[in-house]
Amino acid sequence: MDYDAYVPDSSRWAKSGLAYRVLGHDAATYYQYAIYVAEGLGKNSFNALRGIKDWRTDDQNGEQNDLPALSKGKLKDFFYIRNLYGNIEDVFNRPVYSSPEDWIDVAIREPESERGYFSKLVTTPQSRRCLNLGSYNYLGFGGLNTHCTPLVAKSVMDYPVTSAGSAAELGYNPLIKEVEETTAKYVGKEAAVVVGMGFATNSTVIPAICGKGDLIVSDALNHNSIVEGARLSGAKVRAFKHNCVGDLELILQDAVAGKQRYNKILVIIEGIYSMEGELCCLAEIVEVCKLYGAYVWLDEAHSIGAVGPTGRGVCEELGVDPKDVDIMMGTFTKSFGAAGGYVASDYETVARIRQYAAGCTDACSMPPAVCTQILSSLRVISGEDGTDIGAKKLRQLRENSKFFREGLEALGLEVLGHHPSPVMPVMLYQPYKIGDFSRLAFNRKLAVVVVGAPATPVNYPRIRFCVSAAHSREDLADALAAISDIADELSIKFKVAPPNAWFPGSIHDQEEKEKQLSIKRVAKARAARSAALDSAAKLASGTNRARFAPLHSVGQPLGDDIGPPRSSSGPIDAYKLSGVTEKQPKWNQYKIMLSSSDVLGLTNDPVMKEACAATVEKLGLGSCSPRGFYGTFPPHMDLERTIADFLGVQEAVMYSYGACTVSSVIPALGHRSDVAVVDRGVGYGVLAGLRLSKMDVRWYNHCDAADCARVFAQLETEDGVHSARLARPGRRRWLITEGCFQGTGRLAPLPDLVALKDKHHARMIMDESVSFGAMGESGRGLTEHFGVNPKRVDVISASLENAGASVGGFCAGDTGVVAYQRLMGAGYVFSASLPPYLATAAAHAIRRVSAEPRLVERAQASAAALRDAALSGRVPGFTTDADPGSPIVPLRLAVGASVADENALLADVAARARRRGIGVCVARVNPLVPPDNRPPRALRCFGSAAHSREDLAAAFQVLAEESAKVLPSHALSAGVDASPGAKNKARLGADPGSMVMNPPGQVTPKPGGYGSPKNAPGAKINLDGTISLKKDSVRCDIFAKGDEAKASAGKRNGLHNRSASWSVNSMNGNSDNAPEMFEALSPVKESPMANGPASIGTPRRMFSDHDSPQSLSVPLLVLLLYWHNIFRRYILNQIDITTHMVPRWLARIGLHPTESRGPVRFFYCAAGYIGSRNFHSTALPLLVWTYDCGFTRLVMVFYCMTSGVGCLLKGALATNTSSSRPANSSLGSLMPHRVHAWPSVAGCNATALPFLILRWRHADAWLWEMEELKAVAREYAAAFAYMFAISLARMGNGDSPANVQGGVVVGAIMLRVLLPHVDWCITGLEASTVFTAQGFALVGMVLAAILLFPMPLNSRGEILYASSTCYRRMWRTFFYMLFFAAGSVWREGPATRAIELPTTPAGWAGVLAAKFFVGHVISQFSVWAISYVAQLFVECWLRAYVKYFKPWSVGEHRRGKEGGEEEGESKTYGTTHMRLVAITVVELAQDITGALVTAHGVPRLFDTLRPYTSLRI
C-alpha cells in the first residue's frame, strides 16, 4: 500500500467522519457498517468474476473432498473475515525488524498481486522507523538494554536452550526455583509458581484451583485467558458488571443464601483492564469478599511492575495488603521484557497448582534465558542491584503516563481509564476510522494499535496507546502533535465537537448510566446484607467452623464430617511422592537423561546456541506484544515458512506455548453443533480443546481403527447414510487423534483413520507433538512414517518442545485453516508472541533435521533399543506398550498393583536411578484428566540422538539393579508378554486388551484394541505360540514369520508388530464372534467360518462358493462389450490429444480459462451459467408459459430427451477418473457432484436447442427460400456463437475438448433424427389422451434406456460412481419428461383466443417478469411442499423400519435360529438400501410434481388470467 498517497476513507462524503454530528454515534456507526459490508460484498463479487479466490477462507482440501464448509456454525466470523477484515488487514500483524524498544522499524507490506481486492500482503525488506506506542514494554526492559541483554546472551550459551521437560518432572532447575522465590518475595506472598506463558497462567491454573461444585464470579470484561480457564474448570461461572461492587455483592449474597451450596467461591478481577485502561476497585472488592468468605484472584498482567511506588502493582497503588488477596497472578511479558507468568499464594495452594495445573504437568518449563531476563529485571526494579535505576524507571513511567493522558484529554479526545494506568484507550466509534487512523499515524511515524470487533463491541472501536518509561518527553510531545492533526482530519475530537445529543451512542453517556445503576445496586446489596450474612453464618456449623473449603481443596463439598482444613503436608507430601521435584535442583546432575524430551539432542548444541545468542543480541529477549500488535519478528515469519515447507503444506501458524496450541486450534475450528470422534488416549491439550469447543464427543478405543469405524457407523445411523434422515448430514464431523501418544507410546493407525475420515466426510486434526521431527525417514512425522500425504490430514498441530528443542507450537494446513486462526485462535490472538530467540531455535532444529537425517536415525535407534530392552526382559519387572518407531517408550510394571503401591514403586525405582546419575522420573499425568483417558503409570523414557549405545547399556543396568531391589518377587518374575493394560484390570474392571483408555463394560463389536491373547475369554496360548479358542479351536500363528506374517499383520490392516500383542478387545462379547476377530491375524486368507459355523476341525466341503463362476454372458453381450471397449479407447485417446492441443490454441487467442482479464472471466462465468441445468430449468418453463403451444412443449421434452441420452452415454463411457472429487454415493443426488466424461450434456443441448427453435421460427423452408435473409443469417450466427460460447465454458469448467466435441455431435444427430418427426411429436403433445402412439413410443424409449443402461464396473466388481451418478440423473430426467408430456396432454387450453401482448420492449419485459415470478414461485412452492410431505412420510416409514421391522428380521429372528448376531451389523443391516429407496421416492415426488405443475398447473393458472397474461401463437 502506498501510505504516502493515502486518502482517508472517512473523508469521502458517503463515509464522512462528521456523520456522528447529525446521526449520533450509534446510528453513524451502523450506517457506515452497512456501507462497509456492501463494499466488501462488491469487492468479493468482483474477485469472483475475475476468478480470484478468497485466500483467507481458502479450503482446498475441503473442496476436493466435498466436506462441509469451515464456516459452518461460524458464519458471523467468516462473514467478518471475508467482507470487513480485508479492508483493515494491513493495520494488523505488522512485522517489526528491530527490537521492541521506544522506536521500532516497522516493515512495509505490499499486495501480492494487483488483481482484484483483498490481495494477500507480502512483507518487503523496506521499513519505516516509528515511535512505539503499541508495545507493553512499560519499563523499557524489552529489546536491547545494558541491564539484561548481556546476561541473557551469556545464559543462552551457558545453559540449555530449554529444559526439555515439564516443571513437574525433570524440567525444574535452579533458575526456576530462584525466580519463584524472588517473585514470591517481591509480591509479598509465601510461595509462587511460574508458567512458561502468560495466557496459560490463567487458562491452566484456574482449573487447578476450581472444579465442579465451586463458583467463579468473574468481571464481565476479564481477559480471554480468564474466561477460558473458568470454562475449563467445570465450576459454575457468573459474571458481574464491570467494576461494579454492588453487583458483585448481590451475586455473593445469592451464592451464600441460595439453595445451592458451593464448595468455595472465587472472585476473579484484573488490576488494569487493558481495553479500558481502568484500575479495579480492589479495596471495595476485597472488603465484600471478606464478608462472604469468597477468595480473590487478582490478575496483575498489566499492573505488576507498572504501577505503585515500587512497581508492586495495584495492591501497592491502592493501599491493599497483599495478604488480603488470596491469589496474585501476573505476567513477565510486559514490564519485565521476558515471557511467562506467575501465581503467588500460600504454600498449600501453590503445592496444589504444581500438581494440577497443566502449565506445570503438560508443558515445557520456563527456559533458562527467560529466567535470567526475569531475575535481572526484578533486581533492577527492586533495587537489589544497588542502583536507583528501577526507581527512576518507575517514576519516569508514571510521569510519562500522566503527561500523555493529560495531553490526549486536552486535545478533546474521548480517553478511557484512570491515571496512572500506562494503557490509554481513545474512542473512534466509526469503523472506517480504524484503518484510517493507523495508516495516517504510520505516515507520521507512529506505531499505534487500533482495536475493533470482535475484540470490542461492534459500535465501540478504539485506539490503544501504551506508554513506556523509555519514551522521552520530546517524543511524546511530537506524538501528541501528530495525533492532533490526525484527529482533526478524522473528526474524532468528540469532546470538542460532541455528537447529536438527541441520539444515543456515546460511551461517556453509557458509563454515566452504569454509574447510576451501580449506585442503585450498592444500595440494594447493603439493604440485603444483614440477612445474607446470617445465611452465611449458618454455613459454618457442627464440628466444622469454616464456611467454605480451603483454596487448595480437591473440590468436595464442605460438611461437618470434613473437619478442619487439612495441613499443608497433605498436598506437598502427595506431590513429593512422585519423586520429581528436588529440594535443591542442580545443573547437569545426571549422566544420562532418559526422561528428557530433547529427542534430537539439540538443546545443548553449540551451533544452535550461537544462533539464539545472535538473535538475543539483535532483538533482545521478549516480544512484549501479541502477534497482531507489533509482536511479529523475522524469526517468527521464518519459522512459519520453514514448517510449511518442511511438511509440504500451504501455510503454518505459530503459537507461543505448546500446551495451548491444540487446545486453541480445536475450539477455533470446531463448533458446538459439530461432532468429534476422538481417541481415548489423547492428552490434556486435546481434552481442553474439546471442552472449550463444546462439541459432541464420541470416543473410540485407543488406537483402534475398527472401533473408530464403529463410532462412525453409529454416526451414520444418527444423521448419515444409515439414518432415517434423508437430508445431507447437518453436523460437521471431526476425527481427532494424536500421532504418537505420549502416555502410551502407541501410534495412531493413520492409513485406516485417513480412509475412514474420507469415507465419512470428516475433517482430521492430528496432534504430532511427539512424532514431529522424530518419526519418518526425514523426521516429518507420522505421515511420512506411514507414507501418507500430509495434505490428506486437514490440520496438523504439534508442540515444538520435543524435537523442536524450543518452546511453543504450530498448526499447519490449508491457507483458510491457518488464516482463520490468526483472528480466532485464542492462544495466538490473546497471548504475547514467542521470544524471537526460541523461534530461531525451532527453525534451526527443523533445518538440521532436513540437513542431517542421521539425527532422526540415531533417535529412532535409541528408542528401538529402549523398547527392545523393555520387551526382552533386560529391565526385569517392566514392559512397554510402545509401538515400533515410537520416539517415546514408557516403562510400566509388567504386573499390576494398586494405584498407590504402583506409583510408590515407580517413584522409588526412579529416585534410586537418579541418585546413580540416570535422569528418569515417573510420567506425570494431570489429575484432572478423566480416568477413562489416563494412560498407565510408567517411567517417562524418550529415545534421543544424544544417547550412545554405552549410555543406554549403563542405564539399563542401573534400572535393572534398582528394580530388583524395589519390586516384589512376583513382579520381577512376570513374563515380558504381559498384556498392555493388564494392571488396570482390577482397577477398571475392563478387559486387559482395552487398556486404560476403554471404559469398563464396553463391548466393541469389532476387533481393534491390543492386549494379551492369554487373558482373552475363550482363548489360550499354546506352547508352540499358536492361539486356540476354547470353544471352536480356531488357531492362528501370532509368531508367524516371512510373507505370512506380513500378510496377516501389515500396516494396511492397522496392526502393529508388538510383542505377543494383538486385538482382543471385542472378546468380551459372544465367543461365536471370535473367528471373525482372528481373521486379521490369520495367515490364511479364507475365513474358517466362510462355509458355516463349523470349526476348523470339521472336514471342508469338496465344493464351495469360491468354485462357482463369477459371471455369465451371451455372445451378443460379449460382442457389445468388445465394441464398447474399442470405442472407449478411441474416446480416451481423443481426450488425451485434444486436452494437449486446444488449451494452447485458446491461450494464443487470449481465451484460456485461466486468463486474468476481467472480460474473459465474465464471459466464462456468464456462458457457464447459460449452459447449466439451472439456467435451462429457469428459462424453458418460462418459454412454455409465455408461448403456450405444442412446439414449446416439444422443446422441453426434447431438452429432457437430449439430457437423458447424454447421461446414458456419459455413464457408459465413464472411467474411475470421471469424478472430479470423491463423494458419498449413499447420499444419492442430495450430494453435489460433477462427472466429466464423453459426451458433454451441455454440448448436446448447445447444439440441439437453438437450432430446434430456429426450425420452429422458420419452418422447414430452405435458406434461399426464406425472407429477410440478413435477419435469418444473424439468428443462425447467434446460434453458432451460442454453441461456441457454451463449448468454451464447459472446457473452462473442467470438460475436455473431446467431451465437448462429442456433445455437439450427439446433439446434432439427435436433432437430425427429430426434425422429420416434429409435426408427429407435436400432434401427440396436443392430443386429448396419453394413450397414443407417441405416448407409447416415449414410454418405450424411457424403459429401454433405464433397463438397458450399460454400467461399467471397476476391478472389484463395483459400479463406477460416475456411472451410477449419470444413471440416477438419466432416469430422473426421463421421469420428468414423461410426466411433463402427460401434463401437457391433460391440460385443456382456453376456449377463446388470448389477447395479444404489447409489442414494445417494455411490455414484453413486464409480461416476462410477471410470468417468471408467478410461475416459479408456484412451481418451487409446490415442489417444496410435496417434497416435504414425501420426506416426512418416508422418514416415518424408515423409523418404523429401523425400530420395529429390522430388529425382528435381523436381531430376534437370527438369534432364534443362529444363536446370536453382531450388534454393529444389526444396526446397519439393510438401512443403506432402504434409505436409497426412500431418497428415490422423494426425488420422484419432486420430479413428478415439478413436471405436472410446469406443464399443467401454472398454465391453467395463466388461463384463468388469460386476458391479461397469455399469448397464443
Side-chain angles (χ1 to χ4, degrees), residues 1056-1321:
H1056 304 272
N1057 183 19
R1058 306 175 66 247
S1059 174
S1061 182
W1062 50 279
S1063 176
V1064 295
N1065 195 21
S1066 300
M1067 289 199 162
N1068 295 328
N1070 195 317
S1071 61
D1072 288 344
N1073 298 330
E1076 190 171 344
M1077 300 174 192
F1078 280 76
E1079 184 177 356
L1081 289 169
S1082 175
V1084 182
K1085 295 295 183 181
E1086 299 178 6
S1087 171
M1089 302 294 290
N1091 297 317
S1095 65
I1096 287 183
T1098 303
R1100 295 188 58 178
R1101 298 187 307 175
M1102 182 173 299
F1103 301 103
S1104 68
D1105 293 338
H1106 296 282
D1107 301 321
S1108 301
Q1110 300 300 311
S1111 62
L1112 183 67
S1113 186
V1114 296
L1116 178 61
L1117 294 180
V1118 173
L1119 184 63
L1120 288 176
L1121 178 62
Y1122 174 74
W1123 286 107
H1124 171 268
N1125 289 333
I1126 291 178
F1127 185 70
R1128 194 178 188 183
R1129 281 197 294 268
Y1130 167 75
I1131 294 300
L1132 293 177
N1133 290 334
Q1134 289 294 312
I1135 291 175
D1136 291 338
I1137 295 173
T1138 56
T1139 301
H1140 286 85
M1141 295 176 58
V1142 176
R1144 296 179 182 177
W1145 298 342
L1146 294 177
R1148 289 179 181 177
I1149 63 176
L1151 286 178
H1152 197 274
T1154 60
E1155 182 68 33
S1156 61
R1157 290 181 298 167
V1160 176
R1161 292 301 310 168
F1162 178 80
F1163 164 76
Y1164 276 102
C1165 291
Y1169 174 73
I1170 294 174
S1172 66
R1173 289 192 299 270
N1174 291 334
F1175 174 78
H1176 288 107
S1177 63
T1178 302
L1180 292 182
L1182 182 61
L1183 181 68
V1184 172
W1185 300 330
T1186 305
Y1187 296 95
D1188 191 4
C1189 65
F1191 189 87
T1192 56
R1193 297 172 184 278
L1194 176 62
V1195 172
M1196 174 67 86
V1197 171
F1198 186 59
Y1199 165 75
C1200 294
M1201 179 63 72
T1202 306
S1203 299
V1205 172
C1207 288
L1208 186 150
L1209 295 175
K1210 285 171 73 77
L1213 297 172
T1215 64
N1216 284 321
T1217 59
S1218 297
S1219 301
S1220 60
R1221 60 187 178 214
N1224 195 333
S1225 59
S1226 300
L1227 295 176
S1229 62
L1230 300 181
M1231 174 68 70
H1233 185 62
R1234 290 179 179 176
V1235 176
H1236 295 300
W1238 191 97
S1240 169
V1241 176
C1244 296
N1245 292 319
T1247 305
L1249 294 184
F1251 291 100
L1252 177 62
I1253 294 174
L1254 288 177
R1255 162 66 168 75
W1256 168 49
R1257 279 184 54 81
H1258 303 292
D1260 55 356
W1262 292 98
L1263 183 62
W1264 53 83
E1265 296 176 355
M1266 297 179 183
E1267 300 178 357
E1268 299 182 4
L1269 289 179
K1270 292 184 179 180
V1272 173
R1274 285 196 299 268
E1275 291 176 1
Y1276 273 90
F1280 280 107
Y1282 173 83
M1283 180 181 67
F1284 180 73
I1286 300 303
S1287 301
L1288 285 180
R1290 291 308 304 167
M1291 288 187 284
N1293 201 29
D1295 260 326
S1296 70
N1299 293 347
V1300 177
Q1301 177 191 22
V1304 171
V1305 173
V1306 171
I1309 293 174
M1310 294 189 65
L1311 177 62
R1312 190 69 192 90
V1313 172
L1314 174 69
L1315 287 179
H1317 308 94
V1318 167
D1319 296 334
W1320 183 77
C1321 294

Side-chain angles (χ1 to χ4, degrees), residues 163-347:
S163 58
S166 68
E169 296 182 358
L170 298 186
Y172 195 77
N173 57 56
L175 284 178
I176 295 177
K177 182 179 178 66
E178 186 178 359
V179 169
E180 292 177 343
E181 293 174 349
T182 304
T183 302
K185 178 181 177 182
Y186 180 72
V187 300
K189 303 299 286 185
E190 292 180 359
V193 59
V194 296
V195 180
M197 177 191 187
F199 182 95
T201 308
N202 277 325
S203 66
T204 66
V205 174
I206 292 176
I209 298 298
C210 295
K212 189 175 182 180
D214 297 333
L215 173 66
I216 295 177
V217 185
S218 177
D219 190 288
L221 297 183
N222 272 342
H223 191 261
N224 182 270
S225 60
I226 296 176
V227 176
E228 187 167 301
R231 289 174 56 192
L232 285 173
S233 68
K236 184 175 181 179
V237 182
R238 295 189 63 180
F240 67 94
K241 300 291 184 180
H242 174 56
N243 246 352
C244 180
V245 181
D247 193 45
L248 170 62
E249 186 171 1
L250 289 174
I251 292 176
L252 293 177
Q253 289 174 356
D254 180 67
V256 298
K259 295 181 180 180
Q260 183 174 357
R261 188 178 180 184
Y262 297 102
N263 174 47
K264 57 177 174 286
I265 302 175
L266 181 66
V267 177
I268 305 180
I269 56 176
E270 293 187 38
I272 294 178
Y273 294 89
S274 60
M275 287 297 174
E276 287 72 32
E278 299 175 351
L279 275 67
C280 66
C281 303
L282 184 60
E284 295 84 352
I285 290 175
V286 168
E287 180 184 356
V288 169
C289 290
K290 281 184 176 181
L291 287 174
Y292 300 97
Y295 299 104
V296 179
W297 174 298
L298 176 62
D299 180 349
E300 293 213 76
H302 286 270
S303 55
I304 189 69
V307 298
T310 61
R312 285 174 168 81
V314 292
C315 286
E316 185 180 44
E317 178 68 31
L318 301 176
V320 177
D321 190 344
K323 295 181 181 178
D324 293 334
V325 179
D326 301 279
I327 299 180
M328 300 179 70
M329 174 269 174
T331 64
F332 299 115
T333 309
K334 302 168 180 66
S335 297
F336 305 94
Y342 68 86
V343 175
S345 186
D346 56 78
Y347 288 117

Side-chain angles (χ1 to χ4, degrees), residues 204 365 375 524 545 621 699 710 784 958 1080 1116 1153 1192 1249 1302 1333 1348 1401 1494 1498:
T204 66
S365 62
L375 291 171
K524 182 179 178 181
R545 307 307 303 171
L621 185 124
W699 302 100
R710 175 190 64 82
E784 186 179 42
V958 170
L1116 178 61
T1192 56
L1249 294 184
L1348 300 178
T1494 302
V1498 174

Side-chain angles (χ1 to χ4, degrees), residues 48 62 146 187 192 317 400 412 415 425 471 524 545 594 641 768 816 906 921 1016 1106 1118 1333 1374 1411 1451:
T146 58
V187 300
E317 178 68 31
N400 285 350
V415 187
H471 290 142
K524 182 179 178 181
R545 307 307 303 171
L594 292 181
R641 286 193 301 267
E768 288 215 72
L906 291 172
C921 67
H1106 296 282
V1118 173
F1374 281 160
K1411 292 199 172 187

